[in-house]
């Protein structure tokens, strides 16, 4: 029996490891542990990669979301949040003092569902690029927001390097939050980074991440927190930026291989014209929970461990949030129960991708 194929692996190249060791040694030798040259380099190069004037590194993707909401001054107002997302999207909204209202969403934000819950009090719309998949409707969503004076905020936690018609995720709205958690395409183990084209928003973000301190470093003028990124974490982020382009090219090849190879009447492969994927997840959609579990078991029997769904329990079913609306989010429920993530990371070999394709195509399901 051939080796089991993992759903995902955290891998660093030898050159990334060696560069990190050199940088980490310098950080320890200088004793400069708090935001300094590695933060500055990571922020500058990540901004260049996205094509925005600047980015702001923070302690986590969750912190990035909260800092963005605070910097955009939407506290106290209503923010539309998709039902199909990570707990953090809603958590940050609540912690920033906003009132989250859920809209129904599947893989993509749904404009009709957004329209249904919109009220004049809505001041921001959160969209999440689930798994790194960008909605082809993003420009339309942006226009919809502009017409209502609503800030579009991208939770781009999965979408480092995803593109829609050549435009990078993180550049469609007023500001965007990326997670740099261990499983992400660029990782600092724990970390986050904010992208914005607005210098005033960037300045506000820097203030919030450093306990809300004024330039004098003495007075706390806004309600910030300890949301800084350490130099060791930033060093790990910086060493991955050299290889990011090559990694995305590799992911693009694997995505293409899956898209061309998977051919099964009961397996849908989302793949939109004009979109390049970050490769955080590779999603396939089946007919429902029973079919999904059957496919998962079939893959496992073939030595392929598929990842959990991106989110198998949407926000309206998360007890702590108290946003339960029974069956009021059919798109989110349908997506949560019917999708599966096939193995995907930049080091996955073509041979292993072919094994996955063969296994999917040989699945028989009579349910
Ligand atoms: C969509 C989304 N937003 C925010 C976060 C939170 O990121 P972090 O774990 O870096 O705080 C996650 C975590 O994976 C996420 O999936």
């Amino acid at each position: 029996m051939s080796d089991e194929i993992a759903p995902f692996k955290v891998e660093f190249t030898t050159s990334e490891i060696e560069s990190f060791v050199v940088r980490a040694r310098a950080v320890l030798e200088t004793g400069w542990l708090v935001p300094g040259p590695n933060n500055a380099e990571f922020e500058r190069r990540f901004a260049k990669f996205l094509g925005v004037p600047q980015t702001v590194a923070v302690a986590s993707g969750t912190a990035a979301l909260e800092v963005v909401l605070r910097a955009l001054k939407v506290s106290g107002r209503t923010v539309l949040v998709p039902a199909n997302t990570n707990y953090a999207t809603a958590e940050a909204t609540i912690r920033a003092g906003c009132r989250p209202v859920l809209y129904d969403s599947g893989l993509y934000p749904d404009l009709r569902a957004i329209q249904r819950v919109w009220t004049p009090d809505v001041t921001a719309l959160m969209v999440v690029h689930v798994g790194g998949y960008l909605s082809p409707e993003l420009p339309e969503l942006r226009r919809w927001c502009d017409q209502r004076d609503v800030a579009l905020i991208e939770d781009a936690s999965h979408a480092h390097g995803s593109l829609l018609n050549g435009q990078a995720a993180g550049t469609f709205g007023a500001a965007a939050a990326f997670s740099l958690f261990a499983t992400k395409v660029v990782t600092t183990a724990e970390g986050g980074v904010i992208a914005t084209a607005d210098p005033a928003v960037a300045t506000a973000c820097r203030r919030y991440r450093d306990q809300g301190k004024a330039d004098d470093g003495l007075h706390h003028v806004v309600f910030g927190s300890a949301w800084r990124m350490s130099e060791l974490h930033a060093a790990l982020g910086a060493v991955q930026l050299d290889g990011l382009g090559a990694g995305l090219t590799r992911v693009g090849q694997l995505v293409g291989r899956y898209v061309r190879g998977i051919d099964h009447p009961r397996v849908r492969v989302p793949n939109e014209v004009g979109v390049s994927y970050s490769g955080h997840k590779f999603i396939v959609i089946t007919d429902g929970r029973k079919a999904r579990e059957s496919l998962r078991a079939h893959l496992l029997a073939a030595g392929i461990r598929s990842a959990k769904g991106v989110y198998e329990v949407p926000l309206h079913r998360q007890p702590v949030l108290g946003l339960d609306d029974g069956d009021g989010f059919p798109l989110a429920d349908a997506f949560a129960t019917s999708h599966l993530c096939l193995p995907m990371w930049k080091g996955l070999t073509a041979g292993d991708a072919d094994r996955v394709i063969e296994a999917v195509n040989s699945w028989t399901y009579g349910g």
Side-chain angles (χ1 to χ4, degrees):
M1 171 94 181
S2 17
D3 290 343
E4 185 172 273
I5 302 178
F8 167 74
K9 279 186 189 166
V10 181
E11 280 179 347
F12 299 102
T13 63
T14 309
S15 117
E16 285 168 346
I17 294 169
E18 282 168 0
S19 310
F20 175 70
V21 169
V22 170
R23 282 170 187 260
R25 172 177 281 278
V27 168
L28 299 185
E29 282 174 354
T30 58
W32 192 344
L33 302 178
V34 295
N38 285 287
N39 266 260
E41 183 182 335
F42 176 73
E43 289 177 344
R44 182 177 47 73
R45 291 184 59 198
F46 195 64
K48 189 159 177 240
F49 169 76
L50 293 179
V52 291
Q54 61 217 302
T55 64
V56 181
V58 290
S60 69
T62 313
L65 287 165
E66 182 171 343
V67 167
V68 160
L69 289 159
R70 289 184 180 276
L72 290 174
K73 300 192 174 66
V74 295
S75 301
R77 305 284 303 277
T78 302
V79 175
L80 301 184
V81 174
N84 176 31
T85 183
N86 185 281
Y87 160 77
T89 320
E91 181 211 338
T93 311
I94 294 165
R95 288 196 194 277
C98 308
R99 194 170 77 85
V101 169
L102 295 187
Y103 64 88
D104 200 10
S105 65
L107 177 57
Y108 302 125
D110 185 82
L111 188 48
R112 286 153 300 274
I114 292 168
Q115 256 153 349
R116 277 202 295 278
V117 292
W118 181 79
T119 60
D121 186 53
V122 170
T123 188
L125 168 69
M126 267 308 177
V127 293
V128 178
H129 308 311
V130 174
Y133 287 66
L134 298 195
S135 164
E137 280 189 349
L138 274 175
E140 202 180 329
L141 285 165
R142 173 64 197 253
R143 275 193 297 280
W144 185 91
C145 285
D146 288 348
Q147 283 159 4
R148 286 159 186 79
D149 205 16
V150 165
L152 177 64
I153 301 173
E154 293 175 77
D155 181 340
S157 287
H158 303 174
H160 320 65
S162 294
L163 304 171
L164 173 64
N165 297 325
Q167 185 175 348
T171 65
F172 287 87
F178 291 82
S179 167
L180 302 169
F181 180 64
T183 54
K184 301 304 192 294
V185 173
V186 179
T187 180
T188 55
E190 293 280 4
V193 58
I194 295 160
T196 177
D198 184 336
V201 172
T203 302
C205 289
R206 290 183 194 285
R207 182 155 286 160
Y208 275 106
R209 79 169 172 186
D210 193 17
Q211 295 180 321
K213 279 187 228 158
D215 294 343
D216 65 8
L218 301 172
H219 294 91
H220 299 266
V221 289
V222 292
F223 204 65
S225 190
W227 284 314
R228 298 165 298 254
M229 177 181 281
S230 85
E231 278 291 274
L232 288 168
H233 290 84
L236 183 56
V239 301
Q240 287 159 68
L241 297 181
D242 281 337
L244 186 51
L248 289 166
T249 304
R250 174 77 193 124
V251 158
Q253 289 162 349
L254 289 167
V255 168
R257 206 171 185 95
Y258 274 154
V259 168
R260 283 190 304 277
I262 295 173
D263 182 14
H264 193 293
R266 303 189 80 166
V267 179
R268 195 161 69 77
V269 180
N271 177 43
E272 308 290 345
V273 175
V275 178
S276 311
Y277 300 97
S278 64
H280 177 57
K281 300 284 182 192
F282 187 88
I283 293 171
V284 295
I285 301 176
T286 62
D287 296 340
R289 191 187 292 278
K290 267 176 72 187
R292 190 261 299 273
E293 294 316 318
S294 162
L295 176 58
R296 202 198 293 273
H298 172 78
L299 293 175
L300 196 57
I304 297 156
R305 195 169 285 280
S306 53
K308 276 194 301 189
V310 189
Y311 308 114
E312 294 198 13
V313 182
L315 290 189
H316 62 289
R317 300 196 183 279
Q318 295 296 353
V320 69
L321 296 175
L323 299 169
D324 192 339
D325 189 20
D327 296 328
F329 299 92
L331 295 175
D333 282 334
F335 181 78
T337 50
S338 64
H339 78 284
L340 193 75
C341 298
L342 298 183
M344 175 58 75
W345 71 97
K346 63 179 188 285
L348 182 74
T349 65
D352 280 351
D354 288 345
R355 258 181 70 197
V356 175
I357 293 167
E358 271 170 43
V360 172
N361 291 347
S362 68
W363 173 51
T364 50
Y365 179 64

